[in-house]
Each structure stands twice: as C-alpha cells, then as structure tokens.
Amino acid sequence: MTELRIEMPAGTKHFAVADEIARYLPEEVFDGCGLKNAVEWLSKVSKLAGWREFRSVDHYLSSTETLRAIGQGPWQGNQSMVVLSDERLFFLTKGFVGATSEEFSLTAINSVVAKRRPIGEELIVTVAGSTTSISRMMHGQGDAIARGFRKVRTNMKSSLSAEASIESATSRAEELAKFASLH
C-alpha cells in the first residue's frame, strides 16, 4: 500500500487534497488495506447511509493495517461505520464539519458480540467493563465483525505463543552453550 503524507497548515483540507491526488493514480495504488473488498460486503443501503464515512475510512487506516470487516449503522445517535482491521477496531462518524472516532486496540477488547434483532443486528464491544454499540446494522455485518475479531485475536495469540516458544528454545540453547563452555 502507498502512504500519502500531506503537510499543510492546520485547518486546511488535507483529505480533499489527498482525494484529488488519488483521483489521478491507479485505484490499486491506495487499496492495499482491502477497502475495495469491503465495498462488496456492504449493502446498497449501507453505502448510501454511510457514504461520508465510507469515502473517508481509508484516511483513518495506516499503511500497515489490513481491513478485515466493516459495518454501518447508528452509533451515538449518528450514522456511523465500524471498522475492524488486523490492528484495531474503530467507530467513525463523519459530519459535514468534522468527524468523531473512537478506537480500541484488539488486545484491550474483552468481547465483541453480535445480537440479531428484528430490524438488523447490534454489535456490542466491551472494553475494560464499559460497552459501546452500533445498532440497526444490516443482517450479517455485525456477525462478520464478531467472527473477524475472534479470528484476528486467535491469529495474534498463536503468533505470540510461537514467538515465546522460539525465545525459550533460544534461551535453552544459550544455557547449553554456557554449560559447554564451562566444561
């Protein structure tokens, strides 16, 4: 993925300038994060209701993140997006004048639960005893985020345990080398 950095005085339209530059470049240059595939996950209604958030979600992703799942619905009284990457989960509301976002490190999240309701799904995220939720998501969006979260967390835990076993094997080999040098 290509990272674009624009340095301008505060209060100027960084995202507007980035969008203008990106318009002249091939689409795949800026889509290493998987946003193009995420478009296919959203329904037409979700794309229409969350168009401001969807147009700017790529500006909130770092060059090292890969998008895993995305959903749309009301959060804190406003139409919003919830985005799961391989590094974090965040909520984004984009207004005409500004934006509100709240992000959570995947390791800080206690649980992500999708509840099926008659008018859509509700996604409930619990972090350190407090909860936040996004409701009236299209059926399947909340469940995809919850399943994606569990998968990413499992991958994180297995890679950490693999690193720990490599470190312990290395430390055992160093101990043996010390004993051999003493002999």
Side-chain angles (χ1 to χ4, degrees), residues 6 17 43 55 58 77 94 96 111 113 141 153 172:
I6 299 172
V17 172
S43 67
R55 282 185 50 207
D58 60 333
K94 189 89 166 130
F96 287 112
S111 69
V113 177
Q141 290 179 359
R153 281 286 292 264
R172 287 184 194 134

Side-chain angles (χ1 to χ4, degrees), residues 15 48 60 172:
F15 293 147
L48 181 62
Y60 289 86
R172 287 184 194 134

Side-chain angles (χ1 to χ4, degrees), residues 2-103:
T2 302
E3 188 171 307
L4 178 63
R5 182 180 174 144
I6 299 172
E7 295 185 17
M8 299 173 67
T12 56
K13 298 182 177 185
H14 293 78
F15 293 147
V17 172
D19 286 340
E20 183 67 24
I21 292 168
R23 188 177 310 167
Y24 296 101
L25 297 171
E27 191 174 304
E28 61 275 1
V29 169
F30 289 104
D31 193 38
C33 64
L35 187 59
K36 188 174 181 181
N37 290 336
V39 174
E40 297 169 14
W41 299 334
L42 294 176
S43 67
K44 289 180 183 179
V45 172
S46 292
K47 290 177 201 171
L48 181 62
W51 68 273
R52 283 193 301 265
E53 292 81 14
F54 189 73
R55 282 185 50 207
S56 64
V57 75
D58 60 333
H59 299 298
Y60 289 86
L61 295 169
S62 73
S63 60
T64 60
E65 285 180 283
T66 302
L67 196 80
R68 298 295 178 194
I70 191 167
Q72 185 278 325
W75 171 66
Q76 296 184 344
N78 298 305
Q79 288 300 317
S80 304
M81 287 256 163
V82 58
V83 178
L84 173 68
S85 77
D86 55 352
E87 296 178 10
R88 63 193 169 130
L89 183 136
F90 65 93
F91 294 86
L92 174 64
T93 301
K94 189 89 166 130
F96 287 112
V97 179
T100 302
S101 66
E102 185 173 5
E103 73 175 68

